């Protein structure tokens, strides 16, 4: 031939010499096709007729039929031999067809397939036919838009596909290890992972010989084992984050109809749609076509109807994604529920949260958002006798559930009648009209074994064990970090997490908050923009230990149901890094997340003490799950050393010392420090107790301490409230009234500026935030030597420590306070050094090493 073939037809053959002749005849009979040649690969066939048949055709058709012989290596290896030959021998070859020796082609297959491939954009790597079988006659339709997401679950393409040379030039070949079958499927999946996509070629003219005894039959019998090996090898391609991006591009999870707009949108992330808005009528036609041909035509499985004010309020509260996620997992868990109403209400004290009130009577006009199962609406469109609105009736049993969303602000626009239910009613009527107009369309005559595309959310669980996956598509993939806590009431642990998240945000990371044991969160206004989203675990939220099991006496999490575990995993699997801080329900998910490629860290803050002084709490429980974590984040060296003593590898532990929990007014802090140095020696010593009035903090010790220094010139303030305990401490006879807890930076600044001494008579501590906060103002710490207090206060240098022995704390505190009240020079010296130490602490400095590891993509 004077020019290279443009198409190479690779035909592996083993023990099929008679069928090979039929395949070659069909290839040579192709009409109107670009230049082509057939490469027969004899895969070490022991039958002499195989080589003889191929040689006969090669002699009759020189340059158009060629024979290669190789030792037996299986079908994939034989194909690779033919591919390598064609690519090297014919630089002008631009497409290859893998034709098994027992299959057939109709005369126009190559011309039609080549034309379709030539007309396709570069990302289309192959065109594939329907599956028309002979022998055992069967005809299967494979039409509809190609989906790499669906292809991971079911094989949408046969070997009878014309493949562009650019696919092979990327280095892709068939896996020679897959000698038992599914080698085509594996090849397509790797091609899709490389960025290529397929395109359906209708009426292509490819014929597949189907016999009851064949390689495919054996492969189907061993399907689970073969697929298990394939998916283990390609585990990185099945991570929830990657699959979600595919889903958003190909099979968006939600349809969104906004009130007051004649356009609608298909999306997975309600804030990051990958598809432009389209006319409402166009979306309606998509829905009806999906109802008529659910395996070929895609439509989002969930349909949301919302007001702009409602969407804006949920976005402002950082709850939009969790509302969509909660709706999905609720509707999936109870298929009988077709709808979920979402009602937005202002909450007291600025808290935000989600509630599912049991037995709530629906008031559809009050809902700012209704999320429906699309299959319920499509059924209503096709079957007019379906009473789709029955769950919304006042007398409905059970009624459509209502998700109450507490917002940390009031919005007058949310109090108006939004008309969402009326818009939903209009849409059902319009769907019925569209369905009636299109129902006369002829369907495909072939069978279709594929499942409905409305089931796509379930594919995550089939592929990687995730249930409802958080619908979040980040603008910065690789920089999403989730902090998991049981509650968020703005205690010490929460303050640490907020500050760590704020630093990470300044370094380009996107923090998210996940709460496992509550349905509400109290986030201070000054930290409102730290978390991109606030996520609650499946409602009703619960943190529950297994009463039947303990790990060396430490409680472990109760095993959730499989469905609940899958949904919790899906909620977190959208992250790149997850930090679990004291969340019992989070421990068991960490190993599963690591298998998703998520880096996992454990936040350690303190070893609590039981009634008899023995360590209890999160660090002990964490030892049971240590293998599920890439690293431990300890607030102190003492806690790190304790972990090492318990068997945690030292290289796995990072120490992130605490700094002040809020930004003080620099001018006020400077003025306070200067005032301490100029303090009148005859002025009373001002002593402050600030914090939780709970047993851990030793507030019951205050009364004897105050009375023990009553003969000294000391002014007292006690500020705080009980959190874990029921009652405040008894201060009778002291003349001191307990002041309410300080709220906001200005109130805290005022307290620290007032105090000369901050007293911490705690029974146990981690690394108290009060210490660096007070030191910034030059306050002297008098504290029990417990936890990591000695790492932040050096006794006699920048503060005074008291042995933590229960019998000597009160006396020790009295002695230190008496000494300070009697020695103004000592006070000035300690205050100056405390201020210097406080100025040296900063979250940026504390977290620098961890951030370097995160940015480098490494664990501890």
């Amino acid at each position: 031939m004077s020019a290279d073939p443009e198409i190479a037809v690779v035909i592996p053959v083993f023990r099929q010499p008679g069928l090979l002749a039929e395949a070659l005849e069909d290839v040579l009979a192709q009409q109107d096709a670009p230049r082509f040649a057939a490469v027969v690969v004899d895969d070490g066939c022991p039958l002499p007729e195989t080589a003889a048949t191929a040689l006969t055709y090669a002699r009759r058709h020189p340059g158009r039929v060629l024979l290669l012989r190789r030792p037996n290596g299986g079908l994939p290896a034989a194909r690779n031999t033919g591919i390598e030959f064609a690519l090297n021998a014919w630089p002008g070859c631009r497409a290859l067809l893998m034709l098994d020796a027992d299959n057939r082609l109709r005369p126009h297959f190559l011309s039609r397939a080549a034309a379709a491939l030539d007309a396709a954009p570069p990302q289309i790597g192959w065109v594939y036919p329907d599956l028309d079988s002979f022998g055992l006659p069967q005809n299967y339709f494979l039409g509809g838009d190609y989906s790499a997401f669906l292809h991971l679950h079911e094989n949408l393409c046969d070997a009878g596909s014309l493949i562009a040379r650019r696919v092979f030039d990327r280095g892709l070949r068939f896996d020679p290890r897959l000698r038992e079958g599914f080698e085509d499927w594996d090849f397509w999946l790797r091609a899709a992972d490389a960025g290529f996509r397929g395109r359906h070629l209708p009426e292509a003219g490819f014929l597949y010989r189907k016999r009851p005894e064949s390689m495919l039959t054996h492969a189907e019998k061993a399907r689970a084992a073969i697929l298990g090996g394939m998916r283990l090898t390609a585990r990185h391609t099945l991570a929830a984050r990657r699959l979600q991006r595919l889903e958003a591009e190909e099979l968006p999870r939600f349809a969104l109809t906004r009130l007051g707009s004649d356009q609608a949108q298909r999306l997975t992330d309600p804030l990051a749609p990958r598809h432009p808005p389209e006319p409402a009528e166009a979306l309606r036609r998509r829905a009806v076509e999906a109802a008529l041909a659910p395996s070929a035509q895609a439509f989002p499985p969930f349909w949301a109807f919302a007001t702009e004010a409602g969407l804006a309020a949920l976005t402002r509260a950082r709850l939009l994604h969790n509302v969509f996620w909660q709706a999905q997992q609720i509707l999936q868990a109870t298929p009988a529920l077709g709808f979920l109403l979402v009602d937005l209400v202002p909450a007291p004290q600025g808290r935000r949260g989600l509630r599912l009130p049991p037995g709530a009577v629906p008031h559809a006009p009050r809902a700012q958002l209704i999320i429906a199962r699309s299959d319920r609406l499509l059924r209503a469109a096709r079957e007019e006798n379906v009473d789709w609105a029955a769950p919304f009736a006042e007398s409905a049993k059970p009624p459509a559930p209502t998700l109450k969303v507490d917002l940390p602000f009031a919005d007058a626009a949310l109090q108006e009648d939004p008309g969402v239910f009326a818009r939903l009613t209009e849409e059902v009527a319009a769907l019925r009209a569209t369905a009636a107009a299109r129902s006369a369309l002829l369907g495909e005559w072939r069978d279709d074994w594929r499942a409905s595309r409305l089931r796509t959310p379930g594919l995550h669980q089939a592929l990687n064990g995730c249930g409802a996956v958080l619908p979040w598509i980040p603008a910065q993939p690789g920089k999403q970090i989730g902090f998991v806590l049981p509650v968020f009431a703005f205690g010490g642990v929460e303050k640490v997490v907020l500050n760590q998240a704020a630093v990470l945000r300044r370094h380009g990371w996107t923090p998210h908050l996940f709460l496992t044991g509550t349905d509400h969160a109290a986030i201070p206004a000054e930290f409102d923009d730290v978390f991109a989203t606030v996520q609650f675990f499946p409602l009703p939220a619960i943190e529950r230990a297994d009463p039947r099991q303990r790990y060396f006496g430490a409680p472990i999490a109760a095993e959730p149901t499989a469905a609940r575990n899958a949904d919790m995993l899906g909620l977190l699997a959208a992250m790149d890094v997850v930090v679990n801080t004291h969340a019992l329900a989070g421990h068991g998910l960490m190993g599963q997340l690591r298998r998703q490629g998520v880096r996992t860290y454990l936040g350690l803050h303190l070893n609590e003490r039981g009634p008899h002084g023995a360590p209890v709490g999160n660090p002990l429980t964490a030892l049971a799950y240590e293998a599920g974590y890439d690293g431990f984040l300890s607030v102190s060296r003492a806690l790190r050393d304790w972990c090492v003593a318990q068997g945690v590898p030292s290289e796995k532990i990072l120490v992130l010392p605490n700094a002040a929990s809020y930004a003080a007014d620099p001018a006020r802090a400077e003025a306070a420090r200067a005032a301490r140095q100029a303090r009148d020696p005859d002025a009373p010593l001002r002593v402050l107790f600030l914090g939780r009035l709970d047993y851990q903090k030793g507030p019951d010790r205050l009364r004897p301490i105050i009375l023990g220094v009553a003969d000294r010139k000391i002014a007292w303030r006690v500020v705080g409230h009980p959190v874990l305990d029921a009652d405040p401490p008894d201060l009778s006879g002291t003349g001191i009234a307990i002041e309410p807890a300080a709220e906001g930076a200005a109130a805290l600044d005022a307290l620290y500026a007032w105090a000369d001494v901050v007293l911490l008579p705690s029974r146990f501590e981690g690394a108290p935030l009060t210490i660096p906060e007070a030191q910034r103002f030059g306050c002297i710490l008098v504290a029990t030597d417990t936890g990591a207090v000695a790492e932040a206060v050096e006794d006699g240098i920048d503060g005074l420590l008291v042995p933590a022995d229960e019998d000597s704390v009160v006396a020790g505190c009295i002695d230190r306070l008496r000494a300070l009240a009697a020695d103004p020079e000592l006070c000035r010296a300690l205050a100056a050094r405390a201020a210097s130490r406080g100025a040296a602490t900063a979250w940026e400095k504390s977290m620098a090493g961890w951030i370097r590891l995160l940015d480098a993509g490494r664990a501890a």
Side-chain angles (χ1 to χ4, degrees), residues 672-702:
R673 293 191 294 268
R676 304 207 193 290
Q677 299 306 309
R679 190 172 71 88
D680 182 352
D682 294 326
L685 186 73
R686 293 176 294 196
V687 181
L688 171 69
F689 176 92
L690 172 67
R692 288 189 290 114
L693 300 178
D694 294 329
Y695 178 80
Q696 172 202 341
K697 301 294 184 179
D700 54 304
R701 295 167 167 169
L702 287 175

Side-chain angles (χ1 to χ4, degrees), residues 585-608:
H587 286 305
L589 298 170
M590 296 300 121
Q592 300 175 68
L593 287 170
R594 288 185 73 193
R595 289 187 283 276
Q596 292 275 335
V598 179
R599 285 178 287 163
T600 57
Y601 286 89
L602 174 69
L604 289 178
H605 292 255
L606 79 162
N607 250 332
E608 300 179 43

Side-chain angles (χ1 to χ4, degrees), residues 626-646:
E626 179 260 322
Y629 289 95
D630 290 302
F632 282 25
L633 306 176
S634 171
V635 298
S636 68
R637 297 188 301 274
L639 192 51
R640 177 200 59 192
D641 294 345
W642 181 89
C643 290
V644 172
Q646 301 301 317

Side-chain angles (χ1 to χ4, degrees), residues 7 30 33-34 94-95 97 108-120 126-129 160-163 199 201-205:
I7 297 176
Q30 292 298 296
R94 53 192 178 88
L97 172 69
H108 290 92
F109 175 85
L110 285 183
S111 64
R112 299 193 71 249
L117 196 58
D118 289 344
W126 69 96
V127 292
Y128 58 93
S161 303
L162 187 63
I163 308 167
R199 176 168 288 181
L201 179 64
E203 306 298 335

Side-chain angles (χ1 to χ4, degrees), residues 370 419-427:
I370 298 177
V420 179
F421 179 70
R423 179 66 183 84
L424 175 59
T425 303
E426 293 171 3
E427 188 61 42

Side-chain angles (χ1 to χ4, degrees), residues 509-534:
W509 285 79
T510 302
H512 304 257
L513 177 62
F514 296 84
L515 299 174
T516 63
T518 183
D519 60 6
H520 66 275
I523 300 175
E526 60 266 32
F527 287 99
D528 194 55
D529 62 348
V530 168
F531 296 113
T533 70
V534 177

Side-chain angles (χ1 to χ4, degrees), residues 180 182 185 215-224 226:
E180 300 299 318
F182 294 156
W185 193 354
M215 182 176 173
L216 178 61
T217 302
H218 288 285
E220 287 294 344
K221 291 178 179 178
R223 181 185 184 92
I226 298 174

Side-chain angles (χ1 to χ4, degrees), residues 662 668 717 741-752:
Y662 74 98
R668 191 161 197 177
R717 293 179 73 177
E743 294 186 6
L748 288 169
D749 280 357
L751 287 170
Y752 290 129

